[in-house]
Amino acid sequence: MATINDVATRAGVSTATVSRALNGKETVDPELAGRVLAAAEELGYRPNGPARNLRKQETAVLALIISDVENPFFTAIARGVEDVAHEAGYSLVLCNSDDTPDKEREYVDVALQERVAGVLLSPTGSPGTAELLARHRTPVVAVDRPLPDRASDTVLVDNRLAAKHATLHLAGQGYSRIGCLTGPSGVPTADDRLAGYRDGLRAAKLPSSTSLVRRSKFKADGAQQAAHALLRQNDPPDALLVGNSAMAVGVLEALAALKLKPGRDVGVVAFDDAPWTTLLDPPLSVVAQPAYDIGALAARLLLDRISGDREETSTTTLSAHLVARGSSSR
């Protein structure tokens, strides 16, 4: 029985191109599509659904393992991945690791057992996961954070520079004691945002103090407690740079409980532009990240890797931009 690899060889194209052509995708060059269809006809090839799940043939499933499916940033990444994967004739399985190495490992084990074509991963930082994928020669692309201690295709955002610009914005609005709520130590995005915050303080010639910094999980409840601790100290911050939109919810809850108003009493800028941020009074200033583009680009890199069109690994760093609204102006 002819396989998809046989068709690809006969037509002189990648297996991914065969898959797209046989699924009638308009993105395939008509000349290539004609070669694929002719080769399939000559070989008597017929796609077999169950056979696609065999690793020795091409599977038509990708796995996306992200840290928090409830976070709009990761939801937008997932949409970008899904759109590109679907266009190429692939299905997508979405997994939520909760930033837990053990849960991440479980999902990677499942992906390998199901013989997915490739994995897109927002790493927890556990080196065992990268080693496992490499051992099975499973194509992988890291999103938002790099794989620890292993080269791979990676799509990132320049978090450090974005945090610096957000801090300088707060300083430019007249806030002089700026605090920072970021994620757990060792998580690259959390560490980069803290480093950028400190870069911004230095550039603005403002004091830096460990008393102005708190870490928590990238969740609302932890951020609420951290914000309370910051704002109830003897010399509290007059502005806050917040690690993500989930943490921003906790910060806003803390401000409300303390009867403090964003912008007037405490300036606030948070990473990620969630849909609800413009519905507040005042609207929330944010660092908007190109989440959909991260997912779409990562999916294209993974498909190229699966098809054999890529050999060298690459790191692509996209830019975020500040969207200044009422919560950061006096």
Side-chain angles (χ1 to χ4, degrees):
M1 182 182 295
T3 69
I4 195 169
N5 289 326
D6 296 329
V7 176
T9 300
R10 176 68 65 90
V13 298
S14 68
T15 53
T17 298
V18 172
S19 177
R20 291 194 292 269
L22 294 180
N23 280 283
K25 300 302 180 182
E26 296 179 356
T27 54
V28 181
D29 180 88
E31 191 270 332
L32 293 181
R35 279 162 45 190
V36 169
L37 295 174
E41 183 67 25
E42 291 169 10
L43 294 171
Y45 172 75
R46 294 293 181 272
N48 182 303
R52 287 182 176 180
N53 292 324
L54 297 176
R55 186 62 178 163
K56 63 185 179 181
Q57 298 188 35
E58 173 164 293
T59 176
V61 178
L62 307 178
L64 171 62
I65 305 174
I66 55 177
S67 61
D68 184 5
V69 72
E70 293 182 334
N71 185 334
F73 170 72
F74 287 110
T75 305
I77 286 179
R79 184 58 198 241
V81 171
E82 196 274 339
D83 282 352
V84 171
H86 183 265
E87 183 67 21
Y90 284 77
S91 298
L92 182 69
V93 175
L94 178 62
C95 309
N96 188 69
S97 73
D98 288 320
D99 253 338
T100 304
D102 287 345
K103 195 173 181 182
E104 176 186 80
R105 176 62 179 261
E106 290 175 10
Y107 278 129
V108 169
D109 283 338
V110 171
L112 294 174
Q113 290 167 17
E114 295 298 322
R115 300 180 177 182
V116 299
V119 174
L120 300 110
L121 176 66
S122 174
T124 63
S126 171
T129 299
E131 293 170 2
L132 182 62
L133 290 166
R135 190 160 64 247
H136 285 79
R137 297 183 180 180
T138 300
V140 59
V141 175
V143 295
D144 187 47
R145 311 165 185 174
L147 280 179
D149 303 324
R150 188 169 293 275
S152 73
D153 291 315
T154 307
V155 185
L156 307 172
V157 169
D158 194 338
N159 284 282
R160 183 166 183 165
L161 183 61
K164 176 182 178 180
H165 287 166
T167 304
L168 285 171
H169 163 72
L170 287 167
Q173 293 298 306
Y175 300 103
S176 59
R177 189 168 168 79
I178 303 169
C180 178
L181 277 77
T182 190
S185 178
V187 176
T189 48
D191 293 345
D192 286 348
R193 289 168 191 175
L194 179 58
Y197 154 78
R198 287 172 172 156
D199 291 343
L201 292 181
R202 282 192 293 270
K205 296 181 171 53
L206 292 177
S208 176
S209 170
T210 56
S211 67
L212 293 173
V213 176
R214 292 291 186 278
R215 288 183 181 268
S216 77
K217 290 185 177 180
F218 280 120
K219 301 284 187 179
D221 54 354
Q224 182 182 25
Q225 296 173 18
H228 264 288
L230 276 174
L231 295 168
R232 291 173 66 88
Q233 61 188 5
N234 290 332
D235 195 6
D238 61 0
L240 293 171
L241 175 63
V242 184
N244 73 357
S245 59
M247 296 178 81
V249 172
V251 169
L252 293 172
E253 289 173 343
L255 290 173
L258 296 170
K259 300 188 182 334
L260 297 172
K261 189 173 181 62
R264 184 190 66 197
D265 301 312
V266 180
V268 181
V269 176
F271 271 77
D272 302 330
D273 195 8
W276 51 264
T277 57
T278 58
L279 304 178
L280 302 174
D281 181 20
L284 185 65
S285 296
V286 298
V287 176
Q289 301 188 84
Y292 180 92
D293 294 340
I294 292 172
L297 176 57
R300 293 188 190 100
L301 289 171
L302 184 60
L303 292 173
D304 285 347
R305 179 71 58 186
I306 291 167
S307 67
D309 292 341
R310 292 178 54 78
E311 294 183 2
E312 298 297 321
T313 60
S314 67
T315 296
T316 303
T317 303
L318 305 179
S319 297
H321 67 279
L322 178 74
V323 182
R325 297 180 181 132
S327 71
S328 61
S329 63
R330 285 176 155 165

